[in-house]
């Protein structure tokens, strides 16, 4: 009986692993309150089993429609039905109805829907729009235009350029749009290693950098981002590192104790002359990052 129970447990664990795309080790929590908050946050995407979180089986889909229109659904702003938001994102049936555009002049030849909430800002562009672009990469051509928010700053504009040589002139402000060819990749996994790594490889290569970087044991920078007065990191009051000044000397002492040649570096955007310089620094020197999320 004991052997049968053990076999059943192994089979159940194997089945759970097979049903998941990948697993990650759960981070350590300071106390149960922090652990409960983390579990609540990831519950929709992961199944937690002991020290491991199994990513639930989610797959992306690309749809290509002929002679259709976009009429602000999905919404390009925060809502229950926006792309990659929590809730019930819209399906694709609204694009299945073909229109007769033979006598119309307000028709784009080739359009991809890439509008997600706050995608004019770097973090949300990177978390959502970049993954949609990566998933649909094989369907895009130099003449594709993109329904998306206009970049808020040079950083986002540069990322459009790096991920697909896409210029601001190819971006269409979200609004009613007719297209002879319409690419829809809203059904994109929010967290998946393939898309994230593929996106990173694409942009690093476009920046003239080796996506492999350097081995981790050669990266000696322990980077701290306090989000208090760090140049280029702006936030309200919900992500303050309140005991930052007390932690910094202890971190330095710990690195000296480790005696691995590591050095503590405080993030300062003003020390970099270009986006490529930033990417090179993170890709070759940074071995560890500490910051409020």
């Amino acid at each position: 009986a004991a052997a049968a129970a053990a076999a059943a447990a192994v089979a159940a664990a194997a089945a759970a692993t097979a049903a998941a795309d990948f697993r990650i080790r759960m981070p350590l929590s300071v106390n149960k309150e922090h652990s409960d908050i983390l579990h609540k946050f990831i519950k929709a995407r992961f199944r937690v089993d002991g020290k491991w979180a199994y990513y639930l089986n989610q797959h992306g889909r690309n749809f290509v429609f002929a002679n259709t229109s976009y009429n602000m659904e999905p919404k390009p702003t925060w809502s229950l039905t926006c792309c990659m938001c929590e809730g019930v994102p819209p399906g694709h049936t609204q694009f299945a109805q073909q229109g007769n555009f033979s006598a119309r002049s307000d028709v784009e030849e080739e359009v991809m829907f890439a509008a997600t909430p706050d995608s004019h800002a770097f973090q949300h562009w990177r978390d959502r729009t970049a993954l949609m672009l990566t998933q649909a990469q094989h369907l895009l051509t130099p003449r594709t235009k993109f329904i998306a928010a206009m970049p808020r700053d040079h950083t986002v504009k540069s990322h459009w350029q790096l991920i697909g040589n896409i210029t601001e002139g190819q971006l269409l402000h979200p609004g009613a749009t007719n297209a002879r060819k319409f690419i829809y990749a809203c059904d994109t996994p929010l967290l998946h290693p393939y898309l994230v790594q593929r996106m990173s490889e694409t942009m690093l290569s476009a920046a003239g950098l080796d996506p492999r970087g350097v081995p981790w044991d050669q990266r000696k920078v322990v980077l701290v981002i306090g989000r208090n007065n760090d140049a280029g990191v702006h936030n309200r009051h919900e992500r303050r590192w309140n005991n930052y000044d007390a932690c910094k000397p202890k971190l330095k002492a710990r690195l000296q104790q480790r005696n691995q040649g590591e050095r503590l570096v405080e993030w300062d955007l003003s020390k970099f002359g270009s986006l490529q310089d930033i990417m090179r620094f993170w890709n070759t020197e940074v071995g560890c990052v500490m910051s409020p999320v």
Side-chain angles (χ1 to χ4, degrees):
V10 170
T17 304
D21 290 326
F22 69 97
R23 70 176 187 172
I24 59 174
R25 186 177 290 277
M26 289 291 292
L28 298 176
S29 298
V30 176
N31 53 42
K32 187 177 184 303
E33 179 186 6
H34 289 183
S35 177
D36 290 344
I37 292 173
L38 178 62
H39 278 66
K40 181 179 179 181
F41 175 75
I42 70 172
K43 185 172 67 173
R45 303 184 183 98
F46 290 85
R47 181 186 61 79
V48 178
D49 184 4
K51 296 180 179 180
W52 294 96
Y54 293 86
Y55 188 75
L56 300 179
N57 199 23
Q58 299 183 25
H59 300 282
R61 296 183 296 177
N62 296 314
F63 293 94
V64 181
F65 299 94
N67 300 320
T68 192
S69 300
Y70 168 70
N71 292 300
M72 299 300 284
E73 187 64 37
K75 293 179 175 59
T77 54
W78 293 108
S79 69
L80 290 178
T81 58
C82 67
C83 255
M84 303 171 76
C85 288
E86 299 291 348
V88 185
H92 61 278
T93 54
Q94 68 269 31
F95 303 118
Q97 186 71 33
Q98 289 196 1
N100 183 3
F101 297 153
S102 58
R104 300 188 62 163
S105 59
D106 60 338
V107 182
E108 301 288 349
E109 287 299 319
E110 189 172 305
V111 174
M112 176 181 172
F113 178 78
T116 60
D118 291 341
S119 58
H120 61 280
F122 166 69
Q123 177 180 339
H124 296 287
W125 183 93
R126 150 65 181 80
D127 285 346
R128 295 173 173 82
T129 295
L131 299 185
M132 295 164 69
L133 295 170
T134 301
Q135 179 174 288
Q137 191 176 42
H138 61 292
L139 299 172
L140 308 179
T141 71
R143 68 176 185 173
T144 307
K145 293 186 176 181
F146 302 86
I147 297 173
M150 297 296 153
R152 183 172 68 182
D153 52 36
H154 180 69
T155 299
V156 179
K157 187 183 299 185
S158 297
H159 276 76
W160 275 105
Q161 189 80 29
L162 288 171
I163 202 168
N165 198 28
I166 299 165
T167 65
E168 203 165 356
Q170 291 173 260
L171 304 184
L172 303 173
H173 188 78
T177 304
N178 303 313
R180 301 192 192 284
K181 177 182 177 182
F182 187 80
I183 302 166
Y184 183 63
C186 185
D187 190 1
T188 301
L190 182 59
L191 298 168
H192 199 285
Y194 174 79
L195 290 179
V196 173
Q197 292 174 19
R198 179 61 179 158
M199 171 192 65
S200 176
E201 290 172 355
T202 298
M203 292 196 288
L204 285 167
S205 296
L209 303 173
D210 186 344
R212 294 171 297 181
V214 301
W216 286 103
D217 60 358
Q218 296 179 23
R219 303 185 185 203
K220 299 301 182 179
V221 168
V222 175
L223 188 65
V224 290
I225 306 175
R227 299 191 74 137
N228 294 324
N229 297 306
D230 307 292
V233 181
H234 307 290
N235 59 276
R236 296 183 294 274
H237 298 287
E238 71 274 20
R239 297 179 183 177
R240 298 294 187 188
W241 189 340
N242 294 325
N243 64 344
Y244 179 74
D245 291 335
C247 286
K248 190 166 65 171
K250 294 181 179 180
L251 291 171
K252 288 183 177 180
R254 177 58 178 159
L255 294 184
Q256 290 177 351
Q257 183 184 21
R258 281 168 55 84
N259 195 30
Q260 299 293 319
E262 300 154 323
R263 67 186 192 278
L264 197 68
V265 175
E266 295 182 87
W267 174 250
D268 185 352
L269 182 62
S270 66
K271 293 182 178 180
F272 300 93
S274 67
L275 177 60
Q276 282 78 0
D277 289 342
I278 296 173
M279 295 170 72
R280 184 178 296 106
F281 172 67
W282 282 74
N283 196 44
T284 60
E285 297 188 50
V286 178
C288 175
V289 180
M290 286 176 283
S291 172
V293 178

